[in-house]
Amino acid sequence: MTDTLFLSSAEVDDLAEPADYVAAVRDAYRQVGEGAPAEPRTKLLNRDPPGMFTTYAAVLPETGAMGGYAYSAGFGAEDAWFMTPLFDADSGEPLALLDGASMNPFKTGATGAVAVDALAREDATELAVIGSGAQARGQLSATATVREFEAVRVFSPTPENRESFAADFDDRLAADVSAVASAADALDDADVVITATTASDPVIADADVEPGTHVTAMGQYDPEKNELPPELVARATYVPDLRARATQDAGSYLAAVDAGLVDAETGIAADLGEVVAGEHPGRTSSEEVTVFDSGGTGVETVAAAHMLYERASDAGRGKTIDFAPASEALTGE
């Protein structure tokens, strides 16, 4: 038997700040850019009741950890659960099992922030946020740690939601955070754009994205999810989290391919790991439009989970559970 730490969502939700997640995720993508293995999601759909079971995984040798997510969404409860198994990358033994609910927006937000830091102009000062839910909050919290924004404008279709979002962050950030009445208003003079929605159709217009803008889109994890117009994807330097994921389930990229605007393989400039590791320059001019497509991978999941596991261990949190090794479990005795 081996002792494995079980950590509830509540036991890890106060262990790290957004900047801590960003640092861990940046290092993880650097490892992937240098050859560490990571695979895009496997998604299984159930018809009745309608639901989805998804897994994805990564190995981070320098971190010394491997694992990923296994989560369900929909089904009879119409909700989601995130299980995060974490293994030792040296011994293979299970280190921890985390409830990944509370870390979800932070590790996803950190991925977007790493991309903004790698691809946005150094002098970016104005940010547009499309969406006002938990993922939008995670994106803004993390992205605000990598650039000194002076103004943030948020739009979502429900006035109460965008007003509440703006008021909350206006108190928390040094930037002037305001709610606006349209996506076009949010994008006016924006240097960085974040889309964090569940939309099936584009939520911004190509014409509203000015030269030199960086766009991070994180609601593109299904062929039918299409936050960005295909014309924008076609004219941008397009960087997904993983190359393999872009051609599998990145909705806006696939829409651009279907429209004949980009070639399925050559339309990908690099993936995030290649940029972070210095294998690709990313942005090469101040007029270039860059797009980061974040659909979720095991890279940020393992990085965040391992950081939380170490901090929880130091703080004496969690309880241990026993796992039997195969040599013992498969004896038949």
Side-chain angles (χ1 to χ4, degrees):
M1 294 285 184
T2 183
D3 288 338
T4 301
L5 193 63
F6 173 73
L7 293 165
S8 70
S9 181
E11 287 171 320
V12 300
D13 67 0
D14 64 345
L15 289 177
E17 297 297 323
D20 301 323
Y21 282 95
V22 172
V25 170
R26 180 187 288 112
D27 185 67
Y29 272 98
R30 190 234 349 129
Q31 292 179 54
V32 171
E34 294 174 352
E39 290 294 328
R41 74 184 68 229
T42 297
K43 183 166 63 176
L44 304 177
L45 299 176
N46 193 58
R47 291 184 179 180
D48 186 21
M52 173 182 70
F53 181 69
T54 299
T55 63
Y56 47 62
V59 179
L60 302 178
E62 294 180 37
T63 303
M66 56 190 178
Y69 252 173
Y71 69 90
S72 65
F75 297 93
E78 293 295 329
D79 211 323
W81 285 266
F82 300 94
M83 284 191 178
T84 310
L86 189 69
F87 295 82
D88 189 299
D90 294 318
S91 68
E93 294 181 352
L95 293 173
L97 179 64
L98 290 80
D99 179 342
S102 66
M103 79 171 185
N104 187 294
F106 293 101
K107 57 98 176 176
T108 307
T111 309
V114 169
V116 169
D117 199 29
L119 296 168
R121 301 194 324 269
E122 290 291 340
D123 62 353
T125 59
E126 299 202 16
L127 171 64
V129 179
I130 311 301
S132 60
Q135 294 293 353
R137 289 176 176 271
Q139 291 288 330
L140 179 53
S141 296
T143 300
T145 71
V146 301
R147 289 292 188 277
E148 293 185 5
F149 292 106
E150 298 173 0
V152 178
R153 293 178 294 278
V154 58
F155 169 75
S156 68
T158 305
E160 294 82 0
N161 291 348
R162 64 186 185 239
E163 293 286 352
S164 174
F165 182 101
D168 184 17
F169 278 97
D170 196 43
D171 290 338
R172 294 166 52 185
L173 302 182
D176 176 23
V177 185
S178 60
V180 293
S182 70
D185 289 342
L187 267 65
D188 188 23
D189 287 333
D191 306 303
V192 175
V193 179
I194 294 171
T195 61
T197 75
T198 58
S200 298
D201 297 305
V203 296
I204 61 175
D206 178 47
D208 291 333
V209 180
E210 299 178 2
T213 302
H214 170 73
V215 180
T216 284
M218 57 77 54
Q220 319 233 68
Y221 47 85
D222 184 280
E224 301 303 319
K225 300 290 186 183
N226 186 11
E227 286 184 315
L228 305 183
E231 296 81 7
L232 174 61
V233 173
R235 72 178 169 107
T237 297
Y238 174 82
V239 177
D241 40 23
L242 293 177
R243 284 181 179 270
R245 193 195 64 78
T247 54
Q248 173 179 300
D249 61 17
S252 292
Y253 186 71
L254 295 175
V257 171
D258 290 344
L261 298 177
V262 299
D263 179 85
E265 299 300 331
T266 61
I268 302 172
D271 61 28
L272 182 59
E274 291 171 313
V275 177
V276 173
E279 300 297 323
H280 186 279
R283 173 179 296 277
T284 57
S285 78
S286 61
E287 296 296 297
E288 188 175 357
V289 173
T290 54
V291 165
F292 173 60
D293 191 327
S294 174
T297 78
V299 182
E300 59 266 23
T301 306
V302 174
H306 186 260
M307 175 184 66
L308 296 174
Y309 159 72
E310 288 195 319
R311 294 186 178 197
S313 297
D314 291 342
R317 296 189 184 181
K319 61 182 180 181
T320 58
I321 53 179
D322 291 332
F323 277 91
S327 59
E328 175 182 324
L330 299 179
T331 60
E333 297 178 2

